Amino acid sequence: MDCGAGSSLYPLHRCKTIHLVRHAQGIHNVDGEKNYKAYLNPDFFDAHLTPLGWQQVDNLRKHVHSSGLINRIDLVITSPLLRTLQTAVGVFGGEGYVDKMDVLPLMVANAGNSDRPAISSLNCPPIVAVELCREHLGIHPCDKRRSINDYEFAFPAVDFSLIDSNEDTMWKADVRETKEELAKRGLEFMNWLWTRKEKEIAIVTHSGFLFHTLNTYFGNDCHPVMKKEICKHFANCELRSMVIVDRSMTGSHASTTNYPGNMPSGLDLPSGVADEKDKEK
């Protein structure tokens, strides 16, 4: 096999490692798996995690710690919906929070009917909420978010500063975002990542967002097996680690590891060039 055809080489500072995570099981998933029309149920507004979902969070948390991944992640980005926020703080947050600590908790006790203790913001990566990685917008109440004020009360140490509107202005009761619009928003999010200086980022988001974004724009230049590894549907609380490359030079961050050499400067004519010059004589 031609090595050049099967391998690619890119400068390290043009790459980021991303860890894509679908949220754990939400209350809407239970009925929605059986009947798609269940997603229209207003009782599932901004769906929270089920007890099983919290078990999935605990198991992924164990994996993230045992693998050492928690020590490498510079930033966690989460969709600003209850189920993704709960997943993000449960998986990547600190240990149990003790009342009267000098720092705010990532999550207060029993946030979103969780029946869970508060979660500390100590010894964990920062968590920031971003609207661009929300689920398929419109019609389904489970995909409508609460006010940012409500979230800030329940998740005090999560950074919501990148969200412009307190109320949800993106979700429409009578208009469903098309798959093409969703994928385009996903690509906008992926390009936005290059504005961040962090090199290793966990992203907690949704099945539809991941499936349509990845299938539309990614893996088309890969072997079919690799395309499937990238694009197949995510299970609840599944994590996949990938590398993205800034081939369009969207980002502007310089390398932190490259070294220019020749310091102090001196004669450094490569031997191959010397050989060519000798032949010319």
Side-chain angles (χ1 to χ4, degrees), residues 39-73:
Y39 289 119
L40 298 173
N41 189 337
D43 293 339
F44 294 150
F45 163 65
D46 193 18
H48 59 79
L49 298 186
T50 64
L52 177 65
W54 278 108
Q55 291 179 38
Q56 294 170 342
V57 165
D58 291 340
N59 286 332
L60 179 54
R61 179 184 180 83
K62 291 175 184 175
H63 168 74
V64 165
H65 280 260
S66 65
S67 65
L69 184 57
I70 190 65
N71 300 316
R72 302 202 307 269
I73 292 174

Side-chain angles (χ1 to χ4, degrees), residues 2-95:
D2 181 4
C3 183
S7 301
S8 298
L9 192 66
Y10 298 99
L12 181 62
H13 68 287
R14 302 293 179 191
C15 305
K16 288 184 190 289
T17 301
I18 58 173
H19 306 282
L20 301 175
V21 179
R22 181 191 174 194
H23 64 80
Q25 185 192 66
I27 57 171
H28 63 307
N29 293 136
V30 178
D31 288 343
E33 290 285 341
K34 305 170 189 174
N35 180 6
Y36 183 77
K37 291 183 179 180
Y39 289 119
L40 298 173
N41 189 337
D43 293 339
F44 294 150
F45 163 65
D46 193 18
H48 59 79
L49 298 186
T50 64
L52 177 65
W54 278 108
Q55 291 179 38
Q56 294 170 342
V57 165
D58 291 340
N59 286 332
L60 179 54
R61 179 184 180 83
K62 291 175 184 175
H63 168 74
V64 165
H65 280 260
S66 65
S67 65
L69 184 57
I70 190 65
N71 300 316
R72 302 202 307 269
I73 292 174
D74 303 313
L75 177 70
V76 177
I77 295 173
T78 179
S79 160
L81 271 75
L82 186 53
R83 58 192 182 270
T84 41
L85 286 161
Q86 289 178 321
T87 301
V89 301
V91 172
F92 299 104
E95 298 300 329

Side-chain angles (χ1 to χ4, degrees), residues 138-159:
I139 297 182
H140 295 175
C142 57
D143 300 326
K144 178 176 172 59
R145 72 163 170 82
R146 301 165 197 266
S147 72
I148 297 303
N149 288 344
D150 286 348
Y151 289 140
E152 288 176 330
F153 178 81
F155 302 93
V158 172
D159 182 358

Side-chain angles (χ1 to χ4, degrees), residues 182-192 209 213 217-218:
L182 172 56
K184 184 178 179 180
R185 174 163 59 84
L187 182 61
E188 183 181 352
F189 170 77
M190 298 295 274
N191 288 334
W192 172 83
F209 175 86
T213 300
Y217 294 109
F218 296 93

